[in-house]
Amino acid sequence: MIYDLVIIGAGPAGCSAGIYAGRARLKVVVIEQLSPGGQLLSYSRVENYPGFPEGIDAFELSDRFAKHMDLFGAERISATVESIENHREKIKKVITSVGSIETKAIIIASGAVPKKLDIPGEKEFIGKGVSYCAVCDGPFFRDQDVAVVGGGDSALEEALYLTRFASRVFLVHRRDQFRAAQILQDRVASNDKITRIMNTTLSKIRGGSGGVETISLYNKLRHETLELPVKGVFIFVGLEPNISFLPKDVKLDSNGFIITDERMQTSVEGIFAAGDVRSKLLRQIVTAVSDGAMAAFSAQQYLELLA
Ligand code: NAP
């Protein structure tokens, strides 16, 4: 069987594409390696998605996205995409861990994962104190001191979330200003449990068989190193795109995100990209769902010309 459209990823962008493609009566399959939701599943609450002024639980929102997509007939399979073959042909092949799928068009909505710091001790203590998900691991640090690294929306939002459990949260940022939304900066400033440590980088994580014990911090202005005892280190220093399966000739920006035009068309005909995997200015749920809708619409137009 040949599908009209394969959507890779069932986060907000993939689900939105699935809804639009299903409503356009395309024969569509959505491939997701975990549960639908993507990065949304690592957040606790969403406060800036229009229509939910009181905020909405992140799990509930991702569940609603998936149910909405199912309603319009998009098929879903659970698999890992390994590669894309014949990507410049009219019929393309998506190779997955459970077999290959033939399709006329593809939307890549595979999202992004947290970047690593690549410092000594980071890899060694993943799951033993080093984490990239406060919602997943925060409860393990009840009444303990933790550090959060980064100055973007994720770092500040997660630092605030961690104050529910931790006794103290040290927020370590490499510059003298955060890039996070002002509302988050205000909340951090007025939270007694959070200590901001600016102009400082994390250079080493040390510990033993019981997990993380201390971190080494380097103050760039005073040229001083400080040892800080903490049990947890939460790292939020940006994202890197999930593109390991992508053909090498699909054009990327200098950070490895997929370049598209405003119709979400990549440099390869019939392959579209949507959401956090795409090179863009603002990575939000609301921009991901917009990308997904546009990608599905463009795929539909592409298929009409192909017929
Ligand atoms: P981000 O906005 O790219 O911020 C990354 C932060 O990490 C920056 O403060 C950066 O410092 C710092 N950083 C980067 N590399 C570093 C290194 N090697 N050592 C130390 N610090 C480093 O990433 P993000 O916070 O994960 O957010 C990703 C996207 O999702 C953004 O577009 C964000 O707006 C969005 N997001 C939105 C929400 C929301 O709306 N509620 C929540 C979460 C994420 P500099 O500032 O010095 O560059």
Side-chain angles (χ1 to χ4, degrees), residues 160-216:
L160 286 160
Y161 179 76
L162 285 166
T163 60
R164 298 184 192 191
F165 313 100
S167 42
R168 283 185 299 177
V169 177
F170 298 98
L171 178 57
V172 181
H173 182 39
R174 65 181 176 183
R175 283 192 298 133
D176 61 352
Q177 277 187 339
F178 293 118
R179 68 168 63 215
Q182 192 60 45
I183 188 169
L184 295 173
Q185 297 194 36
D186 295 345
R187 282 184 200 163
V188 161
S190 61
N191 191 311
D192 291 344
K193 279 191 167 184
I194 301 179
T195 305
R196 289 162 291 173
I197 305 179
M198 309 301 278
N199 299 304
T200 297
T201 55
L202 178 56
S203 55
K204 198 168 188 172
I205 300 168
R206 288 195 186 80
S209 54
V212 170
E213 289 164 5
T214 60
I215 53 175
S216 304

Side-chain angles (χ1 to χ4, degrees), residues 246-253 257-260 266-268:
L246 200 66
K248 296 286 169 266
D249 55 346
V250 176
K251 278 202 184 124
L252 307 177
D253 70 12
F257 292 89
I258 301 173
I259 295 173
T260 69
T266 69
S267 58
V268 175

Side-chain angles (χ1 to χ4, degrees), residues 39 43 45-48 113-119 149-158 172-181 184 200-202 220 235-239 276 280-285 287:
Q39 279 192 86
Y43 298 138
R45 228 173 148 70
V46 176
E47 289 185 352
N48 53 359
V113 288
K115 258 203 280 189
K116 309 271 183 301
L117 274 175
D118 287 329
I119 55 165
V149 186
D153 287 333
S154 299
L156 272 68
E157 226 166 50
E158 305 306 302
V172 181
H173 182 39
R174 65 181 176 183
R175 283 192 298 133
D176 61 352
Q177 277 187 339
F178 293 118
R179 68 168 63 215
L184 295 173
T200 297
T201 55
L202 178 56
K220 298 197 296 186
I235 299 169
F236 302 104
V237 294
L239 301 171
D276 283 0
K280 63 198 287 194
L281 188 61
L282 185 63
R283 292 194 168 81
Q284 299 278 303
I285 302 165
T287 62

